[in-house]
Structure formats: C-alpha cells, structure tokens
Amino acid sequence: MTLATHDVRWGAGGKLFVDGVSLNVEPNRVLGLIGPNGSGKSSLLRLLCRLRKVASGVVTLDGQDIAAVGRRDLARRLAFVEQQATTEIQLTVCDVVRLGRTPHRAAFASWSTEDERAVDAALARVGLTERHDQPWHTLSGGERQRVHIARALAQAPRELILDEPTNHLDIQHQLSILGLVRRLGVTCIVALHDLNLASLFCDRIGVLSAGRLVAAGLPEEVLTPALIREVFGVEVTIRLGANGHRHIDYLVDHEPGERP
C-alpha cells in the first residue's frame, strides 16, 4: 500500500467530519470516494495530503506517519488538485504549470532545462501543448482542470489526489478528465458525485456517510441498490450497458401529469 488511513478522525466546531476512517489505497490504481454532500470526502482528502492535521489516528505513506515527512519531500511525492481553483492574477498556462516545479527547485535557483522538460511533458500528457502561452482566463472550465492536472503532474508525483475534478463540467469534459486520470498510471484518489462515472473509471470505491467509511471494494461489490438506498436515499436498478459496463438507473416517482 502507498497511502493509508488508520482510524482517522477530524472535526471542527464540535462536529466530527471524518470519524474513524481506515482505508488503504492500492499503488497505481484509481480509488474513488463517493458520498452525499457533507459526508467527509473533501475533509478526508485534505487529511491525506496533510492540509489538515488529524485529531486522532494516523495517515501513513509507505508505512511512515505522514506527519513525519518533510513538506518539500511530501510535495515531491504527492500532488493535490482542488475543485475548480481560480485566480485573478494574469497568468499564462505555462505559468500555472510551472508552479508544480516549486518543490524540486532550491530557493532563488534559476529555471533549468529539466524544469522546462517537466512542464512540457505535463502539458503534453493533458493534451494542451498548443496552449502553452495562452492566457489562463481565456480557457474553458475543462481546459482549466487539465491545466491544474498538468501543474500537479509537473510535481512528478507518485500519488495524485483530486477533489471533484468534474464539478461544473459538461459531460464531454467529465469523460475526458476522468479518462485522462485513468490513463496517468499513478496512484489516484478522486472524490466524485456521479455514481456512474465512479463505476466506470475507478478500480475501487470507498463510500462515506456522515464521516464514516461504510463500504469499500470493487465497484460491483459496493454500488448495490441496497447500499445506494441506505446512503443516498434513492431507489435504483442496475443493468449492463451496451459497452458491458454496469449502469445505474434512478427510479423517480412522478406526479400525475408530469413528464416521465
């Protein structure tokens, strides 16, 4: 295992947002975190990358307490992509991606050929080489998410954490972003809202409810009508789609005269 949590708890204002979560992340696999709003997904991700300090329990990286890992060493190993990060500063695409090289550069060091290669390679992996010098504010939402993933890749991470990277994107960009994440070949932990996307792109799924991990395993093991009813409060049926993947259909009651 690479990243793992062991009976981790965290709270604020007298409320527990992460309550005794123990979870292992398999190397070079995509782990999806799902759950209703307020279930603790974002809080858990921030504990995994040490943006927040656990109240109890421990987060480990290759068996070592992550609290004992130096900030620079951790940033060279692990990258975090937030939900639709924005900026008012006038930056180009390459300016944003270059920020990913910060953990690898000494203070006041000049920009190196290795740094430039890392930036170019990251942009190539997300398919945005031709946008190298384009102003940040002219990009679409999907393109901005790709740039943030490129910035994370420029860190050369072995673990990549993404907090709802498809939020506010149209379906084309959702599929494109998650397809990209799937092909990266690094350990990925991604919080998602869409259960069908989680089933389609994740190797394993962890389900959070009220801060607790209520299920973890393969998508077909976890995403059952009974669990979805219990956690999300909706009725579903599950069928095999034309491509052989499982598809979740939501059962909605309609009032007389409403369109089905």
Side-chain angles (χ1 to χ4, degrees), residues 65-146:
D65 187 342
I66 202 170
V69 181
R71 290 274 181 194
R72 180 177 290 269
D73 290 336
L74 185 61
R76 290 173 177 172
R77 173 70 186 267
L78 184 152
F80 179 50
V81 178
E82 299 184 76
Q83 294 184 39
Q84 286 289 332
T86 60
T87 179
E88 299 300 322
I89 302 173
Q90 297 298 311
L91 297 174
T92 65
V93 167
C94 66
D95 290 333
V96 175
V97 180
R98 282 174 176 171
L99 294 173
R101 296 303 299 164
T102 302
H104 298 275
R105 304 176 66 239
F108 309 112
S110 59
W111 192 253
S112 70
T113 301
E114 180 182 356
D115 292 324
E116 197 62 41
R117 279 200 299 262
V119 169
D120 290 344
L123 282 170
R125 291 183 80 180
V126 302
L128 289 177
T129 297
E130 73 283 0
R131 305 299 180 104
H132 185 280
D133 298 314
Q134 185 167 330
W136 162 261
H137 68 273
T138 64
L139 299 177
S140 69
E143 289 168 337
R144 291 186 183 192
Q145 282 298 82
R146 284 178 174 268

Side-chain angles (χ1 to χ4, degrees), residues 1-4 23-27 60-63 77 159 204:
M1 300 300 172
T2 55
L3 272 173
L23 185 66
N24 292 317
V25 184
E26 296 182 356
T60 60
L61 183 62
D62 289 341
R77 173 70 186 267
E159 288 82 22
R204 297 181 68 83

Side-chain angles (χ1 to χ4, degrees), residues 204-227:
R204 297 181 68 83
I205 290 176
V207 185
L208 292 171
S209 179
R212 291 182 172 273
L213 183 71
V214 296
L218 300 173
E220 59 268 26
E221 297 171 342
V222 170
L223 294 176
T224 65
L227 181 135

